[in-house]
Amino acid sequence: DLVETVAERIRAGGREARAMAADVSVKAELASVAEAVLAWRGRIDIVCPNAAIFDSSPLVDMSEELWDRVLGVNLKGVFLTVQACAPAMIRQGYGRVVATSSITGSRTAIAGMAHYAASKAGINGFVRAAAIELAPHGITVNAIEPGHAMTEGAAPGYDAGFLKAVEAFIPLGRIGQPEDIARATLFLASDDARYVTGQTIVVDGGVTLPEYPPYPRA
């Protein structure tokens, strides 16, 4: 229902859009979606693997099932999405892959999020290897590393006090918005980034920069 709502908003703006559903951890479902897109549009130019889950659990209590589920969606999902779409991009000699990684795992860590950190760090390694393999076919592969962002999924975790504390630690003084992440993704998906591949762009308002916690803001 949510993706169909987004598709309706896009169509209302005069664009074409179609909503499709799949479990990104299941190869056959993603292959089916890729086939449906090719039947509809005849090509696949841009793919943005973005699905993620982040259930928290202490390391010593974390079940194998939870570990597998988080890595299945967050990391395996990226692999399967790219694998499903890459053949079409190779045939047409053009493609843009922009995955959603995170500063968590690649640059920072959070207690209780070992599975999430491993999955996001894994995306960065996958991006570099895939970029080398797909470059001869005119395909770039990059990723975005968001910091704190007020997405619909993250919003319930930010009460007023926590939000104030987080924003005090961000050099730019505010939490990120989905549009901040989208604009960086748009750059990597565009021909402005035609000579950029195997890279990640940190979009975090500078939160990973300070060596020490900042002084309280006036």
Side-chain angles (χ1 to χ4, degrees), residues 48-167:
C48 297
N50 181 61
I53 55 177
F54 45 89
D55 296 350
S56 179
S57 172
L59 178 63
V60 295
D61 297 327
M62 188 178 297
S63 67
E64 186 176 355
E65 290 75 20
L66 178 57
W67 175 274
D68 288 344
R69 185 160 66 90
V70 170
L71 268 74
V73 172
N74 297 9
L75 181 56
K76 184 182 178 183
V78 173
F79 156 62
L80 291 178
T81 301
V82 175
Q83 187 181 57
C85 298
M89 292 180 167
I90 291 171
R91 287 194 298 271
Q92 65 202 28
Y94 177 90
R96 298 284 184 267
V97 176
V98 187
T100 302
S101 181
S102 175
I103 62 171
T104 304
S106 60
R107 301 171 194 273
T108 65
I110 301 172
M113 301 286 275
H115 46 3
Y116 181 85
S119 70
K120 292 300 185 175
I123 288 174
N124 289 12
F126 172 81
V127 160
R128 287 188 281 271
I132 294 172
E133 287 194 37
L134 298 177
H137 305 286
I139 302 167
T140 64
V141 185
N142 296 288
I144 301 296
E145 292 183 35
H148 292 274
M150 192 60 77
T151 62
E152 292 183 6
Y158 289 95
D159 58 36
F162 182 53
L163 178 59
K164 183 177 180 180
V166 167
E167 291 187 324

Side-chain angles (χ1 to χ4, degrees), residues 2 4 15-16 19-20 32 37 41 62 66 69 85 89 94-95 105 115 122 124 153 157 178-179 182 187 194 204:
L2 290 174
E4 181 57 42
R15 304 282 185 171
E16 291 187 63
M20 304 176 189
S32 178
V37 173
R41 303 296 296 175
M62 188 178 297
L66 178 57
R69 185 160 66 90
C85 298
M89 292 180 167
Y94 177 90
H115 46 3
N124 289 12
E179 291 79 4
F187 165 69
R194 64 186 181 182
D204 70 348

Side-chain angles (χ1 to χ4, degrees), residues 6 23 27 53 84 95 113 141 149 159 161 173 186 189-190 193 203 210:
V6 173
D23 182 337
K27 181 174 182 175
I53 55 177
M113 301 286 275
V141 185
D159 58 36
L186 180 61
S190 75
V203 187

